[in-house]
Amino acid sequence: MCGIVGYIGDKNAVKAVIHGLHKLEYRGYDSVGIGVIEKNKVKIYKDKGRVKTLDNIVPKNLNTSLAIGHTRWATHGKPSKLNAHPQSDCKNEIAIVHNGIIENFGELKQILKKEGHNFKSETDSEVLAHLIEKFYGETKDLAKAVKITLDKINGTYGIVVISSKEPDKMIVARSSSPIIIGVGKGENFVASDATAVIKYTKKIIYIDDGEMAIVTKDNIDIFNKDNIRIDKKIESLNWSAKEVEKNGYPTFMLKEIYEQPKSFTNTLAGHIDLENGTSHLGGMQNLFPDNEIHNIKRIVIIGCGTSWHAGLMGEYYFENMTGLPTEVEYASEFRYRNPAIDSETFVIGISQSGETADTLAALREAKGKGAKVFGIVNVVGSTISREVDEGLYIHVGPEIGVASTKAFLSQVLALFLVSLYIGRKKRLSIEDGIKFGKQLQKIPSIIDEVLQSTQAQIKKIADKYCKYTNFLYLGRGFNFPVALEGALKLKEISYVHAEGYPAGEMKHGPIALIDKDFPTFFIAPNDNFFQKSISNIQEIKARNGKLILLTDDNAKVDEGLVDDIIRIPTIDEEFYPFIETIPVQLFAYYIAIKKNRDVDKPRNLAKSVTVE
Ligand code: F6R
């Protein structure tokens, strides 16, 4: 939440920072601002609105060697010009951009006000600027003033600080909000994540919690929480700048939906061992050498939102293949309970961004209780990927659309691979393992086929249904998490109310909602539960409910029973989620487009939820 960027060097700093803000806009987009030092003065240009607002407020000829920028997702104080960042001190000599929450800002603000500081905004972040001003007065050293300030606050932060008194540097620090430094020649960058800087450099330093850095044009000094200078590894990013562009698609979301045959292939690459009917997973091998896998008594999967839905699918896979009791937990609930976790629990955390605050905290909690913690993460070098014991990157490339699509499919695949790995060591036969491996290899071309065969039809169906304001999504077994995911996609990008339910639960409440104005999107291929699903469909039709059925080519359906039917290829039931997800994503997408929604940046949302 909130994107922050900084640049110092020989290029036009304003241009580099605005470019970075565009790339980070998915983190928040209700207000925007940049701060520069020009002629030894801090100048700030900011307003409510998206990054493009800067085109109207930043002077065209503004060209400085140092700039910081911020794109906001409001926490304290509504979106407004005054609440936008950068925030500054009384004398306008210090400017800061902040991502996170300062929990004790209220009491600090009172003290600072009594001391004569003049506050301009309702934000928690502004206290940082005034505290730094206060301690700069005492130390005459920007880095020291920032360090003392950070020692006084409780909360989370990624910050970049500049001052007209020391115009040759940025001070950078983090605690629970991500910060990277992009290393250049005669220039350096700071950002919430690497997408902001990849156009300029692929050399990245990941800043860890408690660390602070002094970044000049030619130098980067990093200090640990005890203020001791440390050396950190410069990592090389393997994403290309092209991956963060739309490449001819109208939206990132559509591009990412269409990337799924490739992203699925990338996740699978190198992990199938057909000879032994299992998966190659270096992380699992390291975590459970020899026969230690037999110590696992229970599996707990943790995530939020779409990642939690992927986790639910994992529950089916783990129970089927390994026989181990498996639970799926919302990170935000798990972390505040006293969860029963011990060294015999295998904990899997799922996160596309690798930065979700609740997931991170839940995994830390599990680790603290002695569990072995495994991460399924997309963003390389993200906090979760660095904190887990071992993990598996899904390697789907940058996911920019706020609604998760390609990451979901690959998270489910990653869970399947982990489950296959444990399953083969427990009760799954080599024949079944080989069969699964072979089938997984065929999935990318089937996804491609589904994209081609259903897109035009789904667009038409979306046109027909876009006037409805409520939807019910139903599915049984493997299809239930897909129903939940379909409902979430529709809600978040079209703002249409939708509920996902296990189809068998319909009669325990939701059926009361069904009438001619409350359509159902039913996901029911011809699997073990098909006849039960058909009975549910009868119940819906008996109450005049409109019905869209997503089923497979071989399913025998009395087409008079449904209003619209979308067919996908017939495959083994474990694999349906990989292909059912496509029509479900496209349906939400086209409803949202029909409603003129900004699908890549839906209101109130942000891609990386780094607040708790
Ligand atoms: C929904 C969506 C969110 C995320 C959730 C977790 O489309 O994108 O529900 O899935 O915020 O994010 P990660 O996976 O980054 O931890």
Side-chain angles (χ1 to χ4, degrees):
M1 317 224 122
C2 299
I4 62 182
V5 196
Y7 175 90
I8 187 161
D10 297 332
K11 287 199 181 76
N12 181 332
V14 175
K15 238 172 127 182
V17 163
I18 293 178
H19 167 83
L21 288 176
H22 275 292
K23 296 298 169 202
L24 292 184
E25 210 173 17
Y26 70 86
R27 301 179 63 88
Y29 32 82
D30 58 47
S31 34
V32 65
I34 65 163
V36 298
I37 295 177
E38 200 192 21
K39 296 186 187 129
N40 280 325
K41 285 210 157 54
V42 166
K43 291 200 177 148
I44 290 175
Y45 304 92
K46 62 182 187 177
D47 211 341
K48 189 176 157 179
R50 296 199 169 178
V51 177
K52 61 179 180 331
T53 311
L54 292 175
D55 296 347
N56 304 326
I57 57 175
V58 176
K60 294 283 171 279
N61 55 356
L62 187 64
N63 183 357
T64 61
S65 59
L66 172 62
I68 57 174
H70 188 272
T71 176
R72 183 167 184 247
W73 185 87
T75 59
H76 296 59
K78 61 183 183 312
S80 71
K81 181 171 177 167
L82 285 178
N83 290 335
H85 293 213
Q87 291 292 328
S88 56
D89 64 325
C90 302
K91 297 196 253 20
N92 227 19
E93 289 174 349
I94 293 163
I96 64 119
V97 287
H98 168 226
N99 168 27
I101 291 179
I102 309 301
E103 286 168 2
N104 57 340
F105 86 99
E107 58 198 83
L108 291 169
K109 192 168 175 175
Q110 288 316 316
I111 298 168
L112 287 161
K113 272 181 157 177
K114 278 197 194 124
E115 290 173 1
H117 287 263
N118 183 16
F119 279 78
K120 300 172 282 265
S121 78
E122 303 157 289
T123 64
D124 52 333
S125 312
E126 192 182 349
V127 296
L128 293 170
H130 292 278
L131 282 172
I132 296 168
E133 174 183 29
K134 171 175 164 165
F135 298 122
Y136 189 82
E138 293 168 13
T139 60
K140 304 286 182 244
D141 181 310
L142 188 59
K144 278 190 189 148
V146 172
K147 175 74 184 149
I148 304 171
T149 296
L150 297 178
D151 288 343
K152 304 266 177 233
I153 59 159
N154 303 327
T156 58
Y157 54 82
I159 53 163
V160 190
V161 183
I162 57 172
S163 165
S164 55
K165 296 281 185 197
E166 298 184 25
D168 60 340
K169 66 183 64 145
M170 301 184 276
I171 311 293
V172 180
R174 91 160 250 179
S175 180
S176 294
S177 296
I179 285 275
I180 59 104
I181 296 178
V183 183
K185 278 202 188 105
E187 62 182 0
N188 286 309
F189 304 78
V190 179
S192 301
D193 76 45
T195 52
V197 305
I198 195 171
K199 179 174 164 195
Y200 305 104
T201 180
K202 289 185 184 165
K203 291 190 181 151
I204 305 292
I205 299 175
Y206 295 96
I207 299 298
D208 283 304
D209 279 354
E211 292 175 354
M212 196 176 108
I214 303 173
V215 181
T216 66
K217 155 180 183 301
D218 298 306
N219 200 43
I220 299 163
D221 283 323
I222 303 174
F223 302 87
N224 69 12
K225 61 177 183 333
D226 302 319
N227 220 14
I228 295 168
R229 197 182 168 287
I230 50 170
D231 286 326
K232 294 206 65 158
K233 198 169 154 215
I234 301 178
E235 318 252 356
S236 281
L237 210 65
N238 62 0
W239 288 357
S240 82
K242 229 177 132 214
E243 285 182 273
V244 293
E245 302 298 334
K246 287 187 201 146
N247 298 333
Y249 283 93
T251 60
F252 279 108
M253 184 174 173
L254 195 63
K255 173 183 170 238
E256 287 158 10
I257 290 174
Y258 271 84
E259 271 173 0
Q260 289 175 111
K262 185 169 145 246
S263 53
F264 190 96
T265 306
N266 290 348
T267 308
L268 197 59
H271 292 308
I272 287 294
D273 172 357
L274 280 186
E275 204 180 317
N276 299 301
T278 185
S279 51
H280 272 303
L281 296 174
M284 288 298 286
Q285 248 153 320
N286 295 340
L287 202 54
F288 302 104
D290 309 320
N291 268 340
E292 279 184 34
I293 211 138
H294 295 285
N295 297 341
I296 305 178
K297 297 283 176 291
R298 191 172 145 239
I299 297 173
V300 172
I301 306 176
I302 298 173
C304 299
T306 286
S307 297
W308 183 82
H309 294 160
L312 280 185
M313 206 78 78
E315 183 174 13
Y316 290 87
Y317 292 145
F318 281 110
E319 294 194 343
N320 277 355
M321 286 192 242
T322 73
L324 287 166
T326 306
E327 290 144 64
V328 189
E329 299 269 6
Y330 283 116
S332 54
E333 286 297 313
F334 175 90
R335 59 176 293 201
Y336 294 115
R337 297 206 311 267
N338 187 10
I341 297 288
D342 57 23
S343 58
E344 295 184 331
T345 317
F346 177 42
V347 172
I348 303 178
I350 310 177
S351 176
Q352 185 285 128
S353 62
E355 300 293 349
T356 300
D358 285 324
T359 309
L360 179 61
L363 295 178
R364 284 178 178 159
E365 170 85 16
K367 219 172 163 183
K369 288 182 175 249
K372 293 202 161 150
V373 175
F374 188 88
I376 292 178
V377 173
N378 184 36
V379 178
V380 176
S382 55
T383 312
I384 292 176
S385 74
R386 285 178 293 131
E387 290 206 10
V388 291
D389 295 315
E390 289 290 343
L392 173 59
Y393 280 122
I394 57 173
H395 288 306
V396 300
E399 192 180 65
I400 311 279
V402 163
S404 185
T405 51
K406 61 179 178 175
F408 171 71
L409 218 59
S410 283
Q411 289 166 341
V412 177
L413 170 59
L415 287 161
F416 192 99
L417 291 171
V418 177
S419 170
L420 179 61
Y421 183 91
I422 304 178
R424 280 288 294 119
K425 300 214 180 267
K426 300 273 256 184
R427 64 180 195 184
L428 195 72
S429 70
I430 183 163
E431 291 75 22
D432 281 344
I434 293 172
K435 190 183 84 187
F436 284 154
K438 284 188 176 160
Q439 282 173 323
L440 284 176
Q441 288 173 328
K442 289 189 198 140
I443 298 292
S445 63
I446 308 178
I447 295 174
D448 199 32
E449 190 184 327
V450 172
L451 280 164
Q452 305 310 326
S453 65
T454 62
Q455 183 262 353
Q457 185 201 7
I458 291 172
K459 200 165 175 218
K460 271 197 200 139
I461 296 179
D463 284 354
K464 184 169 155 192
Y465 286 86
C466 67
K467 61 178 192 290
Y468 292 97
T469 50
N470 294 290
F471 276 83
L472 186 62
Y473 279 70
L474 297 177
R476 285 170 183 265
F478 294 117
N479 312 303
F480 163 52
V482 180
L484 288 178
E485 178 60 5
L488 179 62
K489 289 290 92 100
L490 188 66
K491 270 188 272 221
E492 62 185 337
I493 61 169
S494 69
Y495 321 147
V496 170
H497 168 246
E499 288 194 52
Y501 256 88
E505 276 291 299
M506 180 184 75
K507 55 191 171 295
H508 299 289
I511 198 166
L513 296 166
I514 301 289
D515 65 14
K516 66 178 181 19
D517 298 319
F518 202 120
T520 299
F521 195 117
F522 211 124
I523 302 154
N526 188 12
D527 56 14
N528 273 336
F529 321 105
F530 186 60
Q531 287 316 320
K532 302 241 176 295
S533 297
I534 291 292
S535 303
N536 295 138
I537 289 172
Q538 297 276 12
E539 289 153 15
I540 292 167
K541 291 316 288 180
R543 286 154 183 87
N544 292 325
K546 294 264 180 305
L547 203 131
I548 305 166
L549 174 65
L550 173 59
T551 190
D552 68 293
D553 287 333
N554 284 357
K556 288 198 177 47
V557 182
D558 169 3
E559 298 208 2
L561 200 57
V562 298
D563 296 277
D564 291 278
I565 184 161
I566 304 165
R567 299 256 186 195
I568 52 176
T570 304
I571 54 175
D572 281 355
E573 63 182 43
E574 293 84 355
F575 299 100
Y576 274 122
F578 296 127
I579 61 171
E580 286 166 346
T581 301
I582 308 296
V584 154
Q585 292 168 342
L586 286 172
F587 181 70
Y589 179 81
Y590 285 118
I591 295 252
I593 292 292
K594 192 75 192 162
K595 288 179 153 311
N596 244 338
R597 305 297 192 218
D598 185 345
V599 293
D600 282 341
K601 299 188 185 81
R603 71 182 179 204
N604 305 337
L605 292 175
K607 182 102 187 130
S608 185
V609 186
T610 52
V611 295
E612 301 177 333

